[in-house]
Amino acid sequence: MIDWQGVYPAVTTQFNDDGSINFETTKGMIDALINEGVHGIIVLGTVGENCSLRYEEKRDVLKAAKEVVAGRVPLLTGVAETTTQFAIEFCQDAEKIGIDGLMVLPGMVYRSTEREAIYHYQQVARSMSLPVMIYNNPITYGVDVSIEGMKVLANEENIVAIKEATEDTRRITELQSAFGQRFTIFGGVDDIALESLMLGATGWISGLTNVFPKESVAIYELARQGRYEEAKEIWRWFLPLLRLDTIPTLVQCIKYAEQLAGRGSEVTRAPRLSLPEEQKAMVSRLYDEAMSNRIDLSKFNLD
């Protein structure tokens, strides 16, 4: 059983103004997150603009991330390819580079049936030995791997975890009832993360953790200790920002919030464009309100 637990930010890929990858800023951002207490790092997820990177660029990001993480926490990569064969090739390369695990999405562009998604996950899992997390997000990717589908995937020994992003917290209980401890379950939707942790998810994969990592870790630690009233105090403060993770421009919103926090740049690759001014004003307002009302974490005695 893989001991993946805690807060795993899905980190952004930082770009220069000309659209090239800024590896130094990307590495600096990852190092800062680890120093601020996150429990793992996921590169090349949706927030990492996986599908906007060329074949070799993705591998260069993996090498840079591995260099800076240096074994301090688990390092996972998103796997978001248009065909099963491309996904297999990427995963085999990730294994050679020394990545610790994979967060695998269904095939991109073509909207798979559940049968096809299961086949995709099976073939990826069988192609190498790295542990696999299934990313189940039917809202975004149009296919839901059901409990019955997960029963099929439970036969693959190295499929060990699920990022549960159906937005239906009942699924967490259903997974636990069906599989016990067979799978590690991560909450995958920022604005229901606390509810997911309270129901037994052992981790939280987050976008807004890139902006406020210490608060994210505090929520997780308090929930893990059953200190829910204290966790809710931070949660209510954080929730307006966490809502940004659930809208179509989530990548631009998160990157702009990172820029406001001095943690990165808002630059994305087209077709993603910089937010229009009214949206920037909304994100700025939420960020400023959060900073004005920021909670003193020292009172929770979590050190």
Side-chain angles (χ1 to χ4, degrees):
M1 179 93 178
I2 298 295
D3 187 25
W4 291 342
Q5 56 184 313
V7 179
Y8 283 47
V11 302
T12 58
T13 304
Q14 293 292 305
F15 298 117
N16 297 304
D17 289 341
D18 64 1
S20 60
I21 298 174
N22 187 327
F23 287 100
E24 288 309 307
T25 302
T26 300
K27 290 164 65 176
M29 175 192 60
I30 291 171
D31 185 57
L33 287 166
I34 295 171
N35 290 336
E36 289 169 296
V38 303
H39 305 91
I41 294 288
I42 300 179
V43 295
L44 300 181
T46 302
V47 177
E49 296 180 73
N50 186 315
C51 293
S52 298
L53 272 62
R54 299 179 185 90
Y55 187 93
E56 287 304 322
E57 287 179 322
K58 296 181 187 185
R59 286 142 184 84
D60 290 342
V61 168
L62 296 187
K63 292 173 185 175
K66 178 175 170 54
E67 179 183 335
V68 68
V69 171
R72 290 178 288 169
V73 297
L75 171 61
L76 280 66
T77 179
V79 181
E81 303 295 332
T82 55
T83 73
T84 301
Q85 184 57 40
F86 293 165
I88 287 170
E89 292 167 6
F90 178 78
C91 293
Q92 290 174 339
D93 282 354
E95 185 172 34
K96 291 174 186 174
I97 290 168
I99 303 305
D100 298 313
L102 309 167
M103 181 180 74
V104 184
L105 285 69
M108 298 289 99
V109 183
Y110 171 70
R111 182 166 288 192
S112 304
T113 65
E114 185 181 16
R115 170 175 165 264
E116 291 168 329
I118 289 169
Y119 177 85
H120 178 81
Y121 290 131
Q122 287 173 322
Q123 299 312 303
V124 166
R126 294 169 186 175
S127 72
M128 43 81 231
S129 61
L130 289 178
V132 171
M133 176 190 297
I134 301 296
Y135 183 2
N136 191 42
N137 187 337
I139 295 168
T140 302
Y141 301 115
V143 56
D144 181 14
V145 180
S146 65
I147 297 296
E148 291 304 311
M150 289 307 303
K151 288 179 180 177
V152 177
L153 293 176
N155 294 315
E156 308 298 327
E157 186 176 345
N158 61 328
I159 295 181
V160 300
I162 304 165
K163 178 183 176 182
E164 177 46 55
T166 59
E167 295 191 356
D168 181 356
T169 54
R170 291 171 295 190
R171 182 63 66 86
I172 293 171
T173 300
E174 290 168 352
L175 286 165
Q176 292 168 330
S177 296
F179 301 106
Q181 301 301 310
R182 170 63 181 85
F183 296 113
T184 298
I185 302 171
F186 279 78
V189 183
D190 269 359
D191 64 356
I192 55 171
L194 180 56
E195 293 94 323
S196 300
L197 293 169
M198 292 171 76
L199 287 167
T202 57
W204 171 19
I205 296 173
S206 171
L208 270 303
T209 293
N210 290 296
V211 185
F212 288 108
K214 291 181 179 179
E215 285 82 357
S216 301
V217 171
I219 289 168
Y220 168 77
E221 294 292 351
L222 290 167
R224 185 178 63 83
Q225 296 174 27
R227 296 163 62 183
Y228 298 127
E229 288 303 315
E230 293 166 284
K232 284 192 289 187
E233 181 182 352
I234 309 171
W235 182 252
R236 288 169 179 152
W237 165 85
F238 206 179
L239 185 59
L241 273 169
L242 294 173
R243 294 253 186 234
L244 297 175
D245 186 61
T246 64
I247 61 178
T249 54
L250 77 155
V251 176
Q252 295 96 311
C253 288
I254 291 168
K255 291 189 104 172
Y256 184 58
E258 280 184 295
Q259 180 168 297
L260 293 172
R263 304 181 70 93
S265 164
E266 69 166 316
V267 177
T268 53
R269 281 186 174 175
R272 289 187 178 94
L273 299 178
S274 178
L275 294 172
E277 289 306 314
E278 63 270 19
Q279 280 195 290
K280 283 188 174 183
M282 178 268 293
V283 176
S284 294
R285 176 179 56 79
L286 292 174
Y287 176 77
D288 289 345
E289 288 175 357
M291 291 300 293
S292 297
N293 300 298
R294 200 168 189 178
I295 294 169
D296 179 7
L297 300 179
S298 65
K299 69 180 181 179
F300 300 109
N301 296 314
L302 288 168
D303 294 334

